[in-house]
Every structure is written in C-alpha cells, then in structure tokens.
Amino acid sequence: MRTSTRRSRRMAAIAAVAAMTAGLLAGCSKDSNDGSSDSNGGGGGKTQLTIGTFGVFGYKEAGLYDEYMKLHPNISIKENVTTRTDVYWPKTLTRLQAGSGTDDIQAIEVGNITEAVQTQADKFVDLGKDVDKSQWLPWKTAQATTKDGKTIGLGTDIGPMAICYRKDLFAKAGLETDRTKLAAQWKGDWSKYVAVGKDYMKKAPSGTKFVDSASSVYNAALGGESQRYYDKDGNVIWDKSTGVKKSWNAAMEVATSNMSAKLKQFDPTWDQGFAKGSFATVACPAWMIGYIEQKSGDSGKGKWDVAAAPTAANWGGSFIGVPVAGKHQKEAVALAKWLTAPEQQAKVFAKQASFPSTPAAYPNLKPAADTTAYFSDAPITQIFGDSAKTIPVQYFGTKDQPIGTAITDVGILQVEQKGKTPAQGWDAAKAEIKDVLGQ
C-alpha cells in the first residue's frame, strides 16, 4: 500500500494527543519488530481473543476489555497494537490472503475499507447476519458492505465536521461571533465560508489570517461530497467528479487570496500557528477538538468556539471485522458486536472523544467539562451529531489516498505556496495522479 505523507503525519499527530480527547484511529501487528505491543494475556483454560488495532482505539483506555472479561469469565482478551499504519494494513493483507496469522478481530481504517470490501470480502465473516444494522449510520455501514449485501466490518468512530473559530479574532475583525448566526452565513456552500474569509481579511487583526491552509478547505469540502475520486462501481472519476471540482474551486479561492496562513497540517509550524493564534478558523472533525485544545494551550481557553460547517462532512473513522481465518469466530463476533454497541461507543467518547457511528449513543454523550469550557460552552455533541446524521454515502477506491495527496500536496501547494495558476496546479496534480495510477 502506498501511504500518503499527509495521512502519516495526521496519524502520528493523532496518536500523540490520544490521551487527551483526540478520538483517534489506530493499527496493529503481531511481530515483535514492528512496533506492536500485547495486553491482557489469557490463561487458565480460557478462550483468548486477540484484537489487532492501529493506534489508539480507546477500548483498553475506557476499560472495556476488563468490563467484558468480567461479564464473560471464560474469555480473555489480548490487544495487539501498532502505531505504524504503513506496517499494519500490508501485513494484515498478507495474513488475510494466506488464511492464517490474523487476529480474531481486525481493525480496518476508512481509507482501507474499500480495498477490503472489493478484494478481501471472502476473508471476513458477514457480520450483517448477526447485528441490527440500523444501529449504525446508513452511510457508515454502506462503506463496509459489498454489492451483494455482505457487511465485513462494524463501524467504530467517525469524523463529522464543524468549523472551529477564534471568536476573539472575529470580534476584532468586526464579524459575527454568535455560532448559530455565523453558521447561517455560510450554510450550504463552502464559497460562502470563503466570502466570510474575505470580509475577515478587510479588518484582520495584525499577523492573522482567516484559515490555516487551502488544502484544509479542500479536504473539508470534499468530505461532504458524495462524488469523490471513484464511482460506486470502482471506476476512477477524479478528473470528472463534480465533488472534486467544487472542492478544488473553493480551495483555489483561498489559495489565490491573502486569507491563508499557508501552513501544512500537522507540521510543527501548524502546531505553532494554534499557539500563536495565527489563523481564525480551521475545519475541525470531532477528533481534532482535543488536538486544538492541546496545541493552543492556555492562550486559547474560552476564545475558541465551534459552529456547524457549511455542509455535513466526514474526515476519518474505522471499522472492526472478524477474519474467517480466526480460531474463535463465534466468540469474536460477540465481542465485536459488544464493542461497537452504542453504550460502549459512548464510553470511548467520554474517555477520548472518538465520535460514535451509532446515533443511539448521541443523547448520552458527555464531553469532558474542561473541553466544553475551552470551546466557550459550545454544544459540541449536538453540532457533530447533527452533521453525522446527514453525511452522504461516499465511495472510496484503492488509490483514494494517493490521489488526494497528489491534489493537496502537489496541485494546491503549487498554487498556494509557489504562485502557480490554478490551471498549472491542476496540471501538476494530474501528472502526479497519472503516475499513481500507472497510466
């Protein structure tokens, strides 16, 4: 698998703040030389179930393994964790294809779910036969379901989108600061968000920009489009995609203006931008809340607020599946169902803000008191929950990540940081994508 530089940085950053409230993704392997670790070993004649994850899923941290083992004294659980996403999925694929060496439960990141559905479906148990699929958001379940109706993974977390903004900077620029009224100004169209940015820059406080980067706007806008880089039949359509074109155009409005701080997300300079208050807004999926709180520090407390994004969008999320090669399929299915039930997803959210993919959990979600205070008492769970319920079904392909990286790290960067025209940036991205696709 070709792992994008942007995604690797994002995953590394996520892992670094998982102990706070960045509800984040993760991965796994069993080899002692791949950065993995074991926990909760078995013994005493018990059935030992192994769970392969990448990064921090929060199950251990929220005490779910201990709780399940108390409820099922005949079960012991061992979690095999690796933080290296470039190691986790390729090794998982090798083991799935070999029909041996897999964990009883394997995590699957959203960027890999299409490959799993299209090429590895026969290697996973059909979990749709054992659960009430209506528990999950329809678009989430659709991502893990084959054309003939086989569901190979149960949804864990998701990344519904909002706009996090510095209300103190908005006030200094003479703009609306009320989150509801502000959201109404840009509702339905990212170009309206860009228009607010143009107004901000007219009286922007010294040393500040409206947004962190044009790529940030592109990714956020694309996260709300049903048509991305592939169609539902797996055909590459990136250069004809209406979603890509709309998102590119919004990003170009940012890249060709003076409203961007021109920072690369998850680079050290981006982190410093939070601490310095260098930009007034950032598109923030639910898991970024904790990241902002950590990187902005005391200087941002009570100054950040959260408003609904222009469109409902998603960035991130994972699944867990049960390989047919596992030794304890029945027990593994039962554990997978329990871990992804609304009650358990709510417990993980309370620990690390991983936003649930099960709407039944939303009424009982309680973010940490200090997080709520940090973001000006914004109704975080309501904002993210409302977004989650209306995100469209999106189709991903096996080269989704490298295509996206070519557009952001080559195409958009050429325009934003090197002064190229939008047409030149598009051509640069196109050339890179042809290389990715082997054309």
Side-chain angles (χ1 to χ4, degrees), residues 283-367:
C284 57
W287 49 261
M288 195 183 286
I289 288 292
Y291 192 92
I292 294 172
E293 186 176 352
Q294 186 204 43
K295 297 303 179 182
S296 296
D298 292 340
S299 65
K301 187 174 183 180
K303 296 177 181 178
W304 281 99
D305 208 327
V306 184
T311 59
N314 184 74
W315 176 12
S318 297
F319 303 81
I320 55 175
V322 177
V324 296
K327 298 178 181 178
H328 311 291
Q329 287 185 24
K330 181 179 179 180
E331 293 85 354
V333 168
L335 176 57
K337 288 171 56 179
W338 188 84
L339 288 173
T340 56
E343 297 81 3
Q344 277 61 257
Q345 292 206 27
K347 293 171 185 175
V348 174
F349 175 84
K351 181 65 180 178
Q352 63 175 47
S354 295
F355 205 82
S357 57
T358 50
Y362 297 168
N364 300 317
L365 295 183
K366 296 180 180 180

Side-chain angles (χ1 to χ4, degrees), residues 52-73:
T53 64
F54 48 92
V56 181
F57 269 68
Y59 296 147
K60 180 182 178 182
E61 292 73 12
L64 297 189
Y65 295 150
D66 289 338
E67 182 178 349
Y68 191 82
M69 288 187 288
K70 287 180 181 178
L71 294 172
H72 302 82

Side-chain angles (χ1 to χ4, degrees), residues 21 64 76 83 125 127 132 168 178 215 244 279 296 304-305 323 342 363:
T21 53
L64 297 189
S76 68
T83 56
V125 173
L127 298 172
D132 176 6
D168 60 320
D178 179 82
S215 291
V244 170
F279 46 89
S296 296
W304 281 99
D305 208 327

